[in-house]
């Protein structure tokens, strides 16, 4: 939703292979179908990613590096605000993990 979906729509309109990295399979798949229909680009795919989970970030990065021949653009758009204080299963404060640690780790893993 929001900025991330707009960016994905624009990339797909430019005929780019576009990977939507989403926490929710249902919402992500709905966005994929909407973007495909609006752009006519079949190369819009969904991959699950929760940037609050470093294990999820590592799995996502490994899959991208394994499955994709190249990565031209990375848009780190995940972010949360106003959540109640919570600790992730990895012992990290949830907002800090989601907004900073996860995207930082993802970028570094994808740099190769």
């Amino acid at each position: 939703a929001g900025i991330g979906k707009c960016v994905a729509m624009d990339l797909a309109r430019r005929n780019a292979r576009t990977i939507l990295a989403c926490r929710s399979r249902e919402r992500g798949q709905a966005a994929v179908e909407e973007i495909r229909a609006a752009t006519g680009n079949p190369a819009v795919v969904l991959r699950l990613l929760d940037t609050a989970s470093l294990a999820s970030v590592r799995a996502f990065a490994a899959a991208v590096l394994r499955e994709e021949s190249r990565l031209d653009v990375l848009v780190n758009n995940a972010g949360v605000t106003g959540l109640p204080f919570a600790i992730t299963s990895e012992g990290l404060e949830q907002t800090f993990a989601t907004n900073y640690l996860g995207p930082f780790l993802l970028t570094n893993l994808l740099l190769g």
Side-chain angles (χ1 to χ4, degrees):
I3 293 171
K5 187 173 170 186
C6 288
V7 170
M9 185 78 73
D10 187 62
L11 291 170
R13 278 195 181 107
R14 296 168 191 254
N15 207 35
R17 176 168 169 76
T18 306
I19 301 170
L20 275 65
C22 303
R23 283 180 300 171
S24 166
R25 182 178 306 277
E26 295 76 25
R27 289 178 56 204
Q29 191 58 46
V32 165
E33 291 169 14
E34 181 182 338
I35 293 168
R36 284 179 182 166
T39 66
N41 184 345
V44 179
V45 297
L46 173 65
R47 298 289 181 265
L48 297 181
L49 171 63
D50 180 357
T51 59
S53 164
L54 301 186
S56 175
V57 170
R58 285 187 173 92
F60 176 86
V64 168
L65 292 172
R66 183 178 59 251
E67 297 168 5
E68 303 297 327
S69 61
R70 67 187 226 206
L71 179 66
D72 295 312
V73 176
L74 173 65
V75 178
N76 282 318
N77 184 58
V80 294
T81 185
L83 296 179
F85 180 82
I87 300 295
T88 68
S89 62
E90 295 162 314
L92 305 168
E93 193 279 319
Q94 184 174 3
T95 302
F96 185 57
T98 302
N99 294 354
Y100 300 100
L101 297 178
F104 180 82
L105 177 61
L106 178 62
T107 300
N108 281 277
L109 290 172
L110 293 175
L111 285 174

